[in-house]
PDB file of all heavy atoms in Angstrom:
ATOM      1  N   PRO A 212     -21.007  31.162 -14.832  1.00 96.00           N
ATOM      2  CA  PRO A 212     -21.241  32.446 -14.026  1.00 96.00           C
ATOM      3  C   PRO A 212     -22.368  33.181 -14.719  1.00 96.00           C
ATOM      4  O   PRO A 212     -22.408  34.466 -14.683  1.00 96.00           O
ATOM      5  CB  PRO A 212     -19.988  33.191 -14.274  1.00 96.00           C
ATOM      6  CG  PRO A 212     -19.559  32.818 -15.618  1.00 96.00           C
ATOM      7  CD  PRO A 212     -20.096  31.390 -15.964  1.00 96.00           C
ATOM      8  N   PHE A 213     -23.321  32.616 -15.228  1.00 97.00           N
ATOM      9  CA  PHE A 213     -24.317  33.344 -16.102  1.00 97.00           C
ATOM     10  C   PHE A 213     -25.723  33.571 -15.433  1.00 97.00           C
ATOM     11  O   PHE A 213     -26.666  34.083 -16.103  1.00 97.00           O
ATOM     12  CB  PHE A 213     -24.446  32.578 -17.438  1.00 97.00           C
ATOM     13  CG  PHE A 213     -23.264  32.516 -18.189  1.00 97.00           C
ATOM     14  CD1 PHE A 213     -22.847  31.314 -18.766  1.00 97.00           C
ATOM     15  CD2 PHE A 213     -22.579  33.660 -18.653  1.00 97.00           C
ATOM     16  CE1 PHE A 213     -21.607  31.200 -19.346  1.00 97.00           C
ATOM     17  CE2 PHE A 213     -21.247  33.551 -19.252  1.00 97.00           C
ATOM     18  CZ  PHE A 213     -20.846  32.235 -19.756  1.00 97.00           C
ATOM     19  N   LYS A 214     -25.942  33.226 -14.222  1.00 96.00           N
ATOM     20  CA  LYS A 214     -27.297  33.212 -13.648  1.00 96.00           C
ATOM     21  C   LYS A 214     -27.860  34.580 -13.513  1.00 96.00           C
ATOM     22  O   LYS A 214     -29.032  34.776 -13.816  1.00 96.00           O
ATOM     23  CB  LYS A 214     -27.362  32.462 -12.372  1.00 96.00           C
ATOM     24  CG  LYS A 214     -27.144  30.912 -12.412  1.00 96.00           C
ATOM     25  CD  LYS A 214     -27.310  30.393 -11.033  1.00 96.00           C
ATOM     26  CE  LYS A 214     -26.968  28.851 -11.042  1.00 96.00           C
ATOM     27  NZ  LYS A 214     -27.058  28.154  -9.807  1.00 96.00           N
ATOM     28  N   GLU A 215     -27.044  35.541 -13.240  1.00 96.00           N
ATOM     29  CA  GLU A 215     -27.453  36.918 -13.145  1.00 96.00           C
ATOM     30  C   GLU A 215     -27.708  37.455 -14.551  1.00 96.00           C
ATOM     31  O   GLU A 215     -28.736  38.199 -14.836  1.00 96.00           O
ATOM     32  CB  GLU A 215     -26.555  37.976 -12.419  1.00 96.00           C
ATOM     33  CG  GLU A 215     -26.446  37.745 -10.965  1.00 96.00           C
ATOM     34  CD  GLU A 215     -25.630  36.514 -10.421  1.00 96.00           C
ATOM     35  OE1 GLU A 215     -24.953  36.035 -11.317  1.00 96.00           O
ATOM     36  OE2 GLU A 215     -25.843  36.091  -9.333  1.00 96.00           O
ATOM     37  N   GLU A 216     -26.980  37.113 -15.499  1.00 98.00           N
ATOM     38  CA  GLU A 216     -27.144  37.559 -16.824  1.00 98.00           C
ATOM     39  C   GLU A 216     -28.433  36.912 -17.447  1.00 98.00           C
ATOM     40  O   GLU A 216     -29.237  37.651 -18.173  1.00 98.00           O
ATOM     41  CB  GLU A 216     -26.004  37.256 -17.785  1.00 98.00           C
ATOM     42  CG  GLU A 216     -25.613  38.174 -18.863  1.00 98.00           C
ATOM     43  CD  GLU A 216     -24.398  37.747 -19.675  1.00 98.00           C
ATOM     44  OE1 GLU A 216     -23.391  37.302 -18.970  1.00 98.00           O
ATOM     45  OE2 GLU A 216     -24.369  38.065 -20.775  1.00 98.00           O
ATOM     46  N   ALA A 217     -28.753  35.780 -17.133  1.00 98.00           N
ATOM     47  CA  ALA A 217     -29.984  34.995 -17.613  1.00 98.00           C
ATOM     48  C   ALA A 217     -31.136  35.791 -17.015  1.00 98.00           C
ATOM     49  O   ALA A 217     -32.161  35.891 -17.585  1.00 98.00           O
ATOM     50  CB  ALA A 217     -29.925  33.613 -17.141  1.00 98.00           C
ATOM     51  N   PHE A 218     -30.956  36.266 -15.783  1.00 98.00           N
ATOM     52  CA  PHE A 218     -32.055  36.920 -15.100  1.00 98.00           C
ATOM     53  C   PHE A 218     -32.417  38.255 -15.956  1.00 98.00           C
ATOM     54  O   PHE A 218     -33.532  38.646 -16.266  1.00 98.00           O
ATOM     55  CB  PHE A 218     -31.505  37.427 -13.586  1.00 98.00           C
ATOM     56  CG  PHE A 218     -32.442  38.346 -12.848  1.00 98.00           C
ATOM     57  CD1 PHE A 218     -33.609  37.831 -12.200  1.00 98.00           C
ATOM     58  CD2 PHE A 218     -32.297  39.639 -12.800  1.00 98.00           C
ATOM     59  CE1 PHE A 218     -34.413  38.604 -11.522  1.00 98.00           C
ATOM     60  CE2 PHE A 218     -33.206  40.560 -12.165  1.00 98.00           C
ATOM     61  CZ  PHE A 218     -34.150  39.895 -11.380  1.00 98.00           C
ATOM     62  N   ARG A 219     -31.314  38.920 -16.441  1.00 98.00           N
ATOM     63  CA  ARG A 219     -31.648  40.039 -17.247  1.00 98.00           C
ATOM     64  C   ARG A 219     -32.136  39.832 -18.587  1.00 98.00           C
ATOM     65  O   ARG A 219     -32.845  40.573 -19.261  1.00 98.00           O
ATOM     66  CB  ARG A 219     -30.263  40.956 -17.429  1.00 98.00           C
ATOM     67  CG  ARG A 219     -29.851  41.573 -16.055  1.00 98.00           C
ATOM     68  CD  ARG A 219     -28.724  42.531 -16.163  1.00 98.00           C
ATOM     69  NE  ARG A 219     -27.441  41.984 -16.719  1.00 98.00           N
ATOM     70  CZ  ARG A 219     -26.522  41.380 -15.856  1.00 98.00           C
ATOM     71  NH1 ARG A 219     -26.700  41.423 -14.488  1.00 98.00           N
ATOM     72  NH2 ARG A 219     -25.477  40.855 -16.289  1.00 98.00           N
ATOM     73  N   LEU A 220     -31.738  38.595 -19.127  1.00 98.00           N
ATOM     74  CA  LEU A 220     -32.183  38.264 -20.551  1.00 98.00           C
ATOM     75  C   LEU A 220     -33.696  37.811 -20.525  1.00 98.00           C
ATOM     76  O   LEU A 220     -34.341  37.949 -21.516  1.00 98.00           O
ATOM     77  CB  LEU A 220     -31.265  37.023 -20.958  1.00 98.00           C
ATOM     78  CG  LEU A 220     -31.324  36.608 -22.307  1.00 98.00           C
ATOM     79  CD1 LEU A 220     -30.679  37.621 -23.115  1.00 98.00           C
ATOM     80  CD2 LEU A 220     -30.564  35.244 -22.522  1.00 98.00           C
ATOM     81  N   ALA A 221     -34.127  37.336 -19.416  1.00 98.00           N
ATOM     82  CA  ALA A 221     -35.510  36.809 -19.308  1.00 98.00           C
ATOM     83  C   ALA A 221     -36.516  37.967 -19.559  1.00 98.00           C
ATOM     84  O   ALA A 221     -36.430  39.025 -18.934  1.00 98.00           O
ATOM     85  CB  ALA A 221     -35.813  36.091 -18.081  1.00 98.00           C
ATOM     86  N   GLU A 222     -37.604  37.701 -20.349  1.00 98.00           N
ATOM     87  CA  GLU A 222     -38.568  38.800 -20.599  1.00 98.00           C
ATOM     88  C   GLU A 222     -39.689  38.699 -19.520  1.00 98.00           C
ATOM     89  O   GLU A 222     -40.324  39.632 -19.202  1.00 98.00           O
ATOM     90  CB  GLU A 222     -39.209  38.743 -22.048  1.00 98.00           C
ATOM     91  CG  GLU A 222     -38.070  39.102 -23.032  1.00 98.00           C
ATOM     92  CD  GLU A 222     -38.258  38.280 -24.408  1.00 98.00           C
ATOM     93  OE1 GLU A 222     -37.990  37.172 -24.355  1.00 98.00           O
ATOM     94  OE2 GLU A 222     -38.690  38.918 -25.299  1.00 98.00           O
ATOM     95  N   VAL A 223     -39.914  37.445 -18.987  1.00 98.00           N
ATOM     96  CA  VAL A 223     -40.845  37.201 -18.006  1.00 98.00           C
ATOM     97  C   VAL A 223     -40.187  36.427 -16.856  1.00 98.00           C
ATOM     98  O   VAL A 223     -39.367  35.512 -17.224  1.00 98.00           O
ATOM     99  CB  VAL A 223     -42.095  36.422 -18.442  1.00 98.00           C
ATOM    100  CG1 VAL A 223     -43.273  36.391 -17.329  1.00 98.00           C
ATOM    101  CG2 VAL A 223     -42.605  36.932 -19.779  1.00 98.00           C
ATOM    102  N   LEU A 224     -40.506  36.902 -15.583  1.00 98.00           N
ATOM    103  CA  LEU A 224     -39.835  36.182 -14.500  1.00 98.00           C
ATOM    104  C   LEU A 224     -40.710  35.581 -13.452  1.00 98.00           C
ATOM    105  O   LEU A 224     -41.946  36.166 -13.246  1.00 98.00           O
ATOM    106  CB  LEU A 224     -38.936  37.208 -13.668  1.00 98.00           C
ATOM    107  CG  LEU A 224     -37.761  37.698 -14.440  1.00 98.00           C
ATOM    108  CD1 LEU A 224     -37.303  39.050 -13.668  1.00 98.00           C
ATOM    109  CD2 LEU A 224     -36.632  36.680 -14.433  1.00 98.00           C
ATOM    110  N   SER A 225     -40.475  34.420 -12.886  1.00 97.00           N
ATOM    111  CA  SER A 225     -41.349  33.939 -11.866  1.00 97.00           C
ATOM    112  C   SER A 225     -40.883  34.743 -10.670  1.00 97.00           C
ATOM    113  O   SER A 225     -39.897  35.360 -10.631  1.00 97.00           O
ATOM    114  CB  SER A 225     -40.927  32.429 -11.569  1.00 97.00           C
ATOM    115  OG  SER A 225     -39.575  32.350 -11.045  1.00 97.00           O
ATOM    116  N   ALA A 226     -41.812  34.557  -9.566  1.00 93.00           N
ATOM    117  CA  ALA A 226     -41.679  35.351  -8.251  1.00 93.00           C
ATOM    118  C   ALA A 226     -40.340  34.860  -7.604  1.00 93.00           C
ATOM    119  O   ALA A 226     -39.689  35.783  -7.248  1.00 93.00           O
ATOM    120  CB  ALA A 226     -42.836  35.160  -7.420  1.00 93.00           C
ATOM    121  N   ARG A 227     -40.097  33.569  -7.626  1.00 93.00           N
ATOM    122  CA  ARG A 227     -38.909  33.101  -7.065  1.00 93.00           C
ATOM    123  C   ARG A 227     -37.638  33.467  -7.738  1.00 93.00           C
ATOM    124  O   ARG A 227     -36.577  33.729  -7.051  1.00 93.00           O
ATOM    125  CB  ARG A 227     -39.009  31.572  -6.889  1.00 93.00           C
ATOM    126  CG  ARG A 227     -39.216  30.806  -7.948  1.00 93.00           C
ATOM    127  CD  ARG A 227     -39.534  29.330  -7.773  1.00 93.00           C
ATOM    128  NE  ARG A 227     -39.555  28.457  -8.882  1.00 93.00           N
ATOM    129  CZ  ARG A 227     -40.017  27.218  -8.902  1.00 93.00           C
ATOM    130  NH1 ARG A 227     -40.468  26.646  -7.804  1.00 93.00           N
ATOM    131  NH2 ARG A 227     -39.961  26.613 -10.101  1.00 93.00           N
ATOM    132  N   ALA A 228     -37.839  33.738  -9.059  1.00 96.00           N
ATOM    133  CA  ALA A 228     -36.524  34.197  -9.828  1.00 96.00           C
ATOM    134  C   ALA A 228     -36.287  35.605  -9.430  1.00 96.00           C
ATOM    135  O   ALA A 228     -35.149  36.073  -9.285  1.00 96.00           O
ATOM    136  CB  ALA A 228     -36.700  34.038 -11.358  1.00 96.00           C
ATOM    137  N   ARG A 229     -37.424  36.319  -9.555  1.00 95.00           N
ATOM    138  CA  ARG A 229     -37.259  37.831  -9.095  1.00 95.00           C
ATOM    139  C   ARG A 229     -36.676  37.909  -7.619  1.00 95.00           C
ATOM    140  O   ARG A 229     -35.793  38.824  -7.412  1.00 95.00           O
ATOM    141  CB  ARG A 229     -38.766  38.390  -9.002  1.00 95.00           C
ATOM    142  CG  ARG A 229     -38.688  39.737  -9.829  1.00 95.00           C
ATOM    143  CD  ARG A 229     -40.045  40.392  -9.939  1.00 95.00           C
ATOM    144  NE  ARG A 229     -40.886  39.670 -10.702  1.00 95.00           N
ATOM    145  CZ  ARG A 229     -42.031  39.112 -10.369  1.00 95.00           C
ATOM    146  NH1 ARG A 229     -42.490  39.210  -9.159  1.00 95.00           N
ATOM    147  NH2 ARG A 229     -42.772  38.351 -11.315  1.00 95.00           N
ATOM    148  N   ALA A 230     -37.175  37.209  -6.774  1.00 92.00           N
ATOM    149  CA  ALA A 230     -36.520  37.185  -5.225  1.00 92.00           C
ATOM    150  C   ALA A 230     -35.115  36.791  -5.389  1.00 92.00           C
ATOM    151  O   ALA A 230     -34.343  37.289  -4.604  1.00 92.00           O
ATOM    152  CB  ALA A 230     -37.282  36.258  -4.429  1.00 92.00           C
ATOM    153  N   ALA A 231     -34.737  35.803  -6.092  1.00 94.00           N
ATOM    154  CA  ALA A 231     -33.435  35.289  -6.181  1.00 94.00           C
ATOM    155  C   ALA A 231     -32.388  36.242  -6.853  1.00 94.00           C
ATOM    156  O   ALA A 231     -31.206  36.297  -6.699  1.00 94.00           O
ATOM    157  CB  ALA A 231     -33.300  33.949  -6.837  1.00 94.00           C
ATOM    158  N   GLY A 232     -33.012  37.007  -7.871  1.00 94.00           N
ATOM    159  CA  GLY A 232     -32.019  38.077  -8.656  1.00 94.00           C
ATOM    160  C   GLY A 232     -31.240  37.121  -9.562  1.00 94.00           C
ATOM    161  O   GLY A 232     -30.263  37.525 -10.075  1.00 94.00           O
ATOM    162  N   ALA A 233     -31.675  35.874  -9.812  1.00 94.00           N
ATOM    163  CA  ALA A 233     -30.885  35.063 -10.704  1.00 94.00           C
ATOM    164  C   ALA A 233     -31.946  34.073 -11.247  1.00 94.00           C
ATOM    165  O   ALA A 233     -32.842  33.627 -10.774  1.00 94.00           O
ATOM    166  CB  ALA A 233     -29.773  34.333  -9.800  1.00 94.00           C
ATOM    167  N   VAL A 234     -31.433  33.527 -12.521  1.00 97.00           N
ATOM    168  CA  VAL A 234     -32.140  32.653 -13.314  1.00 97.00           C
ATOM    169  C   VAL A 234     -31.345  31.313 -13.590  1.00 97.00           C
ATOM    170  O   VAL A 234     -30.260  31.550 -14.075  1.00 97.00           O
ATOM    171  CB  VAL A 234     -32.803  33.220 -14.534  1.00 97.00           C
ATOM    172  CG1 VAL A 234     -33.130  32.216 -15.646  1.00 97.00           C
ATOM    173  CG2 VAL A 234     -34.072  34.160 -14.212  1.00 97.00           C
TER     174      VAL A 234
END
Side-chain angles (χ1 to χ4, degrees):
F213 299 124
K214 291 184 187 181
E215 283 80 15
E216 214 175 325
F218 175 82
R219 294 192 291 275
L220 193 68
E222 292 147 284
V223 187
L224 289 164
S225 68
R227 57 195 186 185
R229 223 174 294 121
V234 156

